[in-house]
Amino acid sequence: MDIARTPATPDGNHEMADAAPSPQEPATIRREDYQPFAWLVPETRLDFDLGLESTRVRATLTVAPNDKVAPSPTIRLNGDGLQPASVKVDGEPTQSYVMDGDDLILTLPAGAHEIAIETEIQPASNSQLMGLYASNDMLCTQCEAEGFRRITFFPDRPDVLSTYTVRMRGPKAQLPVLLCNGNRVDTGEEGEMHWAEWHDPWPKPSYLFALVAGDLVARTNHFTTMSGRKVELNVYVREGDLPRTEHAMESLKRSMKWDEETFGREYDLDLFNIVAVSDFNMGAMENKGLNVFNTKYVLADPETATDGDFDGIEGVIGHEYFHNWSGNRITCRDWFQLSLKEGFTVLRDQLFSADMGSEPVKRIEDVRILRSVQFPEDSGPLAHPIRPDSYREINNFYTATVYNKGAEVIRMMRTMAGTERFREGTDLYFERHDGEAATCEDFVTSIEDGAGLDLKQFRLWYSQAGTPQVTARLTHEGQTARLELSQSVPPTPGQSDKKPMPIPLKIALFDRSSGSHRGEELVVLDEARRELTFEGFDAPPVLSINRTFSAPVTIDRDIPRDDLVFLAARDDDPFARYEAMQELMAGYLVAAAGGGLAEDQREAAVGDIAGAMRAVLTDGALDDLMRGELMMLPSQTYLAEQMLVADPGRIHEEREALKAQLGRRLREELHRLYDRAEQLPYSLDLAARGARKVKTQVLVLAAASDPEKAVELAAHQYDRADNMTDRQGALMVLAGTQSPERTTRLLDFYNRHRDNALVVDKWFALQASSLHPQVIEHVKSLADHAEFTLKNPNRVRSLYMAFAGNPHAFHDASGEGYRLIADLILELDPINPQTAARFVPPLGRWRRIESGRSALMREQLERIAAAPKLSRDTYEQVTRSLG
């Protein structure tokens, strides 16, 4: 599952829970208490009489005792808000069951049995968008992690694998397309009704069940697998959206080919269907053979989608397809193992996207996400290991730590093993555990055995939270350079003392005069302190470290500013060059925001930054995609993470001042770059995409240094744009200005695209994330707009998540930004608690913010915590954030 680039408590036989939790406060589930389920469910048959208002579900389960555990006279079938209309055992009605909360506990004689349960559900009133729900007159499901129990009573846990046969019946005029997992085996008509039967031959857990019924059309294609099987491919959408599905289809075909070539994985059904849904909590879901996607990650054309949207679609489609093996064929034993499928699959989609586009730019983008979302998570009250020891609400476990840091941990194994040996390890993993519910330990052991690595100490990455800090000190004497490395992992909630972990660091030492190095070296720092010596340096070399971001750590290298300028201009590793430029700017901005720079120090530092940026702007060997990355200033969130206590107001002021200085000092170079880039016609090739990227960065710097010229340029770009990337880039800059052009272009943008929900989402987000001084009032006004609704997660995120991610507005000194998000959480929680809970973490950073704002943030968290009938999702996030 993709968490929008981002479920249920197992029964008592699975995890032992603390006694008597309150309705708000869920029980604590512990990994050490895992027990296999006492019953096997080899076959499941589901019969649906479908309707938007009411759907009848008949579930028939074949069950047998699990001979690997002690026999149990009862079977616990999880439910959520269900009431059984009838219960039968071996064809006969029975009353030998009790309800334990939402769960049905049935007493069974010894041996195998057939259990039949009938339930009725109301999809149209399901605002949580979990289980079976209605979306724009169609029916669809979302079952990860614990949504299946909202459809029927079932042992809803990932280690119970079953083959599914599903018969769907519904009105053919209203629901002409009936889709489910696996292969379609039969269809028929009964007057105004029709039906379809589906069978999935591969055993799967209930969280991978999927059903879609609605008035849809498909873009159809085919893919021939490496063994010669022809697979039918379909992308289902609303009829008017069909022209915008070509990129999605081509992304799917590229994903299938890449997975065969890179990991040796072949698709295993006759059919692969994708369905785009407009109401969806996540980005997409990897249900076996029937992937359900948020429309955001399917629909694209140049008029409505940016370059980033095209990349996002390719990456998410790849991610969900790759889950077919890393998640479906091999699934998770329990939810503590979530990173087994998600971390591994994120790495796979990152490698795929890198191969499809610019590898260094993709690496930088991935690291930027890690630093802006996961690093703050690792240093805050919600910190947890990628495989935690306990959890309370599984919905809150779909985090950047599990996904993004999980991917980095597996990438480190790949770095230490090398590409070929890593492939041997993954081949062994797929061979050993195909058809099983596996653990993170199973994966690590397979890599260890297949790649020939000793990963005993490396397993600490799975159990220790926090971002390690590596200190690097380079000294020089005579012809010897000495590099002293040390590591520490800061305390996190529940983990005060940490052990040293293996940290693979790619390093190179540059000769200052020639600008070259003798070769890159991989050093694994696996102890608290280590010293390395390098001979043959007449002069002190320049250290390039953590090249390609070989480890998810922070580096304290106490490097002279001259060395950063050197690396920003000359490092041959693109990521290390980017890192030097970021460090050069971040060092200055953190010192300036902290009040630690005299005027002459400011002047010298800005001069060095401008010199390094000039080298970037004029380097003919650089492609524009990479140039655009090097032009970006560190984000305010990243800068705040570099400070023990951050003042968001000062950070914003200093960052805007630096943008203005760079814009003025580099005015000629920036405008030459813009004029050159403007000449390239629209296409999706890397050169044209790079041109669009640098044009936007020029506008960003111009807006700070010469607002009138920036408005003129941005309005000109908007009016001439023949694609969404240029139009949105221009409008982003205009949205932050107080100019007539802002008003006219925002109105034009809305009127031009008012019938396209995804582009209207952009319109909301552009205003909520702008630098306009009245952005808080704009957000309040937009919340009353006729097009705004709390029932669509995309629309909620477009306005309020964009606002919460806008430090300039969210951290307004009045505290009004904090109150705005708290009000949203309280209003949204009864409608969609999963989405509401995702707005808590920005408030949870209060400990790292200066005292005035900190008190205001905590006040809002306390107000939320005091609300009656708060969902378990939000309650857990708030109470942990308060500590």
Side-chain angles (χ1 to χ4, degrees), residues 268-280:
D268 53 7
L269 291 169
D270 301 328
L271 190 63
F272 188 91
N273 289 323
I274 287 173
V275 180
V277 178
S278 57
D279 299 296
F280 205 65

Side-chain angles (χ1 to χ4, degrees), residues 532-569:
L532 304 166
T533 59
F534 305 88
E535 301 295 339
F537 287 95
D538 295 329
V542 181
L543 173 65
S544 175
I545 188 169
N546 208 22
R547 294 158 67 82
T548 71
F549 199 72
S550 55
V553 300
T554 61
I555 303 288
D556 173 12
R557 52 179 166 175
D558 192 26
I559 186 171
R561 200 165 66 231
D562 287 349
D563 286 4
L564 288 175
V565 172
F566 173 92
L567 293 171

Side-chain angles (χ1 to χ4, degrees), residues 126 313 322 329 339 391 433 483 556 565 595 669 759 786:
N126 182 358
I313 289 168
F322 302 146
R329 287 284 288 258
S339 195
Y391 68 81
H433 300 290
L483 177 61
D556 173 12
V565 172
E669 291 88 348
V759 183

Side-chain angles (χ1 to χ4, degrees), residues 35-57:
Q35 293 292 327
F37 196 57
W39 295 87
L40 304 177
V41 188
E43 295 181 18
T44 299
R45 180 175 179 88
L46 301 171
D47 289 88
F48 288 88
D49 280 330
L50 298 170
L52 296 176
E53 297 299 327
S54 177
T55 288
R56 200 79 169 175
V57 185

